[in-house]
Amino acid sequence: YDLSGLATDAQISAATVRLVASNASPTTEAVTLRGYEGLRPWTELGATWNVYSAANSWNTAGARGANVDVTGTPASNSGAKFTFSAPIGSSDGTVLTSTGFATYIQDIVTAGGSSVDFALHNSFNEGQHLSINSSRGTEGSRPKLQMTYTSVIGSGGGGGTGPGATG
C-alpha cells in the first residue's frame, strides 16, 4: 500500500486492512494470520508462491524465510508485527479483523517509509484453509487499507480518514 501521500508528521489513530476470505471451507476453530514485515522488493504482477519477482526466488517458498523474506520467524509464529483473526465458522466472504495494525503503520510513517509491505502466515494449522486474493471478484471484496490520522503539516492542523488504498 502506498503511503507517499501522507504527511511526515501524521499520527495514525486507527488503521485496518479489510480482508475478505475466499475459497474457504467453514473453519472448525478460530484462524489467526500473523503479519510479518516484507523484506524483499516483490512485485504485484510477478510475485507467486515461489518467486518475489519474475527472476528472483523467495529464500523459502511462500515468503517464509526468517529475517530474509520477512522479519521474524513464521515457522515458529514469532516476530509478527500484527495479527488478523477469523472466527470459528469463517468461510467464503468472512471479513477478518486486525490487531496491532495501526501501530505497524505508525512505525513505518515515523521511520519515513512510503509503503506498507507485509506477508500473512497462518499458525501452521494444517486443517485450515483461508485464502485472500487481491484480484478477487468485485472491488468491494479486494483488500483495502483504511486509516484515521491527524497531521499539522499535511492538513493545516486537521486530520481525516485516508481514502483507502486497494491492492
Side-chain angles (χ1 to χ4, degrees):
Y1 295 99
D2 183 5
L3 299 178
S4 62
L6 236 66
T8 56
D9 73 330
Q11 295 299 304
I12 312 301
S13 57
T16 60
V17 170
R18 182 179 182 274
L19 298 177
V20 180
S22 63
N23 302 321
S25 55
T27 59
T28 56
E29 58 187 79
V31 175
T32 298
L33 298 175
R34 290 172 174 76
Y36 295 87
E37 180 179 3
L39 297 176
R40 298 281 192 178
W42 63 277
T43 60
E44 187 168 356
L45 297 176
T48 69
W49 181 256
N50 293 311
V51 300
Y52 61 89
S53 64
N56 299 292
S57 297
W58 296 108
N59 181 267
T60 303
R64 293 184 185 271
N67 299 310
V68 179
D69 296 328
V70 295
T71 59
T73 309
S76 63
N77 298 321
S78 64
K81 300 290 185 176
F82 56 90
T83 61
F84 284 94
S85 298
I88 294 172
S90 295
S91 60
D92 203 33
T94 299
V95 176
L96 284 67
T97 56
S98 61
T99 303
F101 198 69
T103 301
Y104 176 60
I105 298 288
Q106 184 65 63
D107 290 347
I108 291 169
V109 171
T110 300
S114 61
S115 67
V116 178
D117 297 308
F118 58 88
L120 295 175
H121 296 289
N122 69 7
S123 302
F124 293 91
N125 193 344
E126 297 299 325
Q128 303 299 322
H129 174 75
L130 198 62
S131 297
I132 309 298
N133 188 331
S134 65
S135 59
R136 178 176 187 221
T138 64
E139 184 74 23
S141 295
R142 295 179 186 147
K144 183 175 184 178
L145 170 62
Q146 294 181 304
M147 66 181 83
T148 304
Y149 61 93
T150 57
S151 169
V152 174
I153 294 172
S155 61
T161 301
T166 58

